Amino acid sequence: MGRTVRHLFIAGCVLLWLIPLYLLVVNALTPAAEYTGKPEWTVQGFDLVENLRTAWNVAGIGDSFQASLLYAVVCGLAAVLIAAMAAFAVVVLPIPRPAFWFWLIYSGTLFPLQMFLAPLFGLYADANLYDTRLGLMLIYAAWAVPFAFFLIRNQMTTMPPELTEAALIDGASFRRIFWRIHVPLMKAGLAAAFIFQFTAVWNDLLLGITLSRSPDVQPVMAALTTLNNAYSSTGPPVILAGALIVSAPTLLLFLVFRGLFLRGVTASAR
């Protein structure tokens, strides 16, 4: 009985997730000129290619898509690398008060992002970083470090200290121990942290609309809100086609690397 209820609950959750996705796809297929103003539950035409072309080229999603891809990949990799080095320092290096440094770095996840927006906007305006790709890359990388640090540090604490001790006895430096021992053994955890940070940066809206305005600088989520305002006269099909474009990278990333992601999350949760 308990297993049946659990399966029914899971099936209900899956159905609640699939219904909006179904409506998204069906209405993105509808020709914009034939849209009635109400959500369609059945396919009324097939004009997806034209809707995608309008969203990508005419509405400018393409420029923001490329910008977001740059932010998500570069900032995700930078954050994971910095977080791995910080975790190595806290767990392996003989630094004083490692718990203090752990909480200092991890505290970056404890405060709401909204409280930083006003000082960030003023700082970026004074430093000429507002509406620049460099400015967004700096804040995205810094924002992504604390949670990546938490994941990687948790996995690193499960590694036996005898590995480091044996390497030190053999004359290896801490730099060599990090790159030759810890990084290869933590590939799954590093990959999971990167997927998390890629998704977080890709899905960001708040920083994007606060610190940028140009189409070639704005992240894709901010551009999608602009598409909703500027192209509302074309009807939802074009906007929904833009939503399909925006959803594709993270969906593909999870589908392709789901096995590596699950192994990394499992290792970090031990």
Side-chain angles (χ1 to χ4, degrees):
M1 181 65 180
R3 178 177 295 180
T4 303
V5 172
R6 184 164 59 250
H7 289 171
L8 288 174
F9 174 76
I10 295 173
C13 291
V14 171
L15 187 63
L16 288 175
W17 184 84
L18 288 178
I19 288 175
L21 180 62
Y22 171 79
L23 288 173
L24 170 67
V25 174
V26 167
N27 287 273
L29 293 172
T30 305
E34 300 177 13
Y35 191 74
T36 62
K38 296 181 180 179
E40 300 289 350
W41 286 87
T42 57
V43 177
Q44 301 297 316
F46 190 86
D47 208 14
L48 179 62
V49 175
E50 180 61 24
N51 291 337
L52 290 173
R53 187 194 67 79
T54 302
W56 183 270
N57 295 323
V58 181
I61 284 285
D63 292 335
S64 297
F65 184 97
Q66 296 173 36
S68 267
L69 195 60
L70 173 69
Y71 302 149
V73 173
V74 174
C75 299
L77 288 174
V80 169
L81 177 60
I82 295 170
M85 291 179 175
F88 183 80
V90 169
V91 175
V92 178
L93 295 184
I95 61 173
R97 303 176 66 186
F100 168 78
W101 294 110
F102 165 76
W103 285 108
L104 179 65
I105 300 172
Y106 181 64
S107 65
T109 65
L110 304 179
F111 299 101
L113 187 60
Q114 291 83 349
M115 68 183 293
F116 301 110
L117 293 181
L120 264 177
F121 181 84
L123 175 65
Y124 269 49
D126 293 340
N128 294 323
L129 289 173
Y130 177 76
D131 198 30
T132 65
R133 288 189 174 186
L134 176 61
L136 282 176
M137 290 173 72
L138 289 174
I139 187 60
Y140 281 143
W143 173 49
V145 165
F147 186 69
F149 165 78
F150 175 75
L151 290 177
I152 297 170
R153 180 259 180 191
N154 283 354
Q155 182 181 0
M156 198 172 289
T157 56
T158 66
M159 299 177 65
E162 290 78 11
L163 290 175
T164 302
E165 294 172 0
L168 289 173
I169 292 173
D170 289 339
S173 64
F174 281 113
R175 178 184 300 178
R176 189 177 182 88
I177 292 171
F178 174 74
W179 288 110
R180 295 296 182 90
I181 298 178
H182 285 74
V183 169
L185 291 176
M186 293 193 307
K187 284 183 179 178
L190 296 175
F194 172 75
I195 292 173
F196 270 118
Q197 302 319 316
F198 180 98
T199 305
V201 173
W202 184 268
N203 290 334
D204 171 67
L205 173 63
L206 192 58
L207 290 172
I209 62 176
T210 304
L211 301 177
S212 64
R213 62 168 180 245
S214 301
D216 60 333
V217 175
Q218 269 194 333
V220 72
M221 290 299 172
L224 191 61
T225 62
T226 304
L227 175 65
N228 189 22
N229 296 328
Y231 289 84
S232 57
S233 60
T234 63
V238 172
I239 300 169
L240 294 176
L244 282 177
I245 295 173
V246 169
S247 305
T250 51
L251 180 61
L252 289 174
L253 189 68
F254 276 103
L255 289 177
V256 173
F257 298 105
R258 63 185 182 277
L260 190 63
F261 174 76
L262 290 175
R263 290 199 302 272
V265 172
T266 303
S268 299
R270 290 174 183 171

